[in-house]
Amino acid sequence: FDGIKLRCVVTDGTGKSVTSVEATYTLAKTLSITGQPESQSYTAGQKVTAKVTAEGSGLKYQWQYKLPTDKGWINWRGTGANTAETSYNFPASFDGIKLRCVVTDGTGKSVVSGEATYSLLKRDDWELPIM
């Protein structure tokens, strides 16, 4: 019955009737993450993009990061920090950074995405061997 429209017709003893305003009822979707951010390698200065997909009503997003030296998660303030997709030009110093997204619905319930790790692709990693 998702999307059902209801109204009420009230009739008095003389047969006169009045009809209420129509109301639409929508099934609230359970909050869940349907697509996780993916780990990847990057070169220094490369624009890296992280995405999450979720279902629910009134969704809000907050990306968080943790560098290898950090003890806890820190709210991301880069471009797209409060959207389903964030991107940033990662410097070499971000090697090993982890990103995740906290998704909160309109009722205040939250779920946390899986962690994605971003590793610096060093020159030695991508050079072809000499034959």
Side-chain angles (χ1 to χ4, degrees), residues 98-110:
K98 294 180 184 290
L99 290 179
R100 70 180 189 182
C101 190
V102 179
V103 183
T104 305
D105 70 11
T107 68
K109 292 181 184 175
S110 296

Side-chain angles (χ1 to χ4, degrees), residues 26-27 30 43 56 61 69 71 83 94 111 113-114 130:
T26 305
L27 179 65
T30 303
T43 56
Y61 302 87
T69 56
K71 295 190 189 291
T83 65
F94 278 19
V111 292
S113 75
I130 298 174

Side-chain angles (χ1 to χ4, degrees), residues 112-130:
V112 181
S113 75
E115 300 171 11
T117 303
Y118 299 85
S119 304
L120 177 65
L121 185 62
K122 297 165 187 77
R123 184 176 177 93
D124 295 343
D125 294 339
W126 57 268
E127 283 187 331
L128 294 174
I130 298 174

Side-chain angles (χ1 to χ4, degrees), residues 10 24 56 92 128:
V10 180
T24 303
L128 294 174

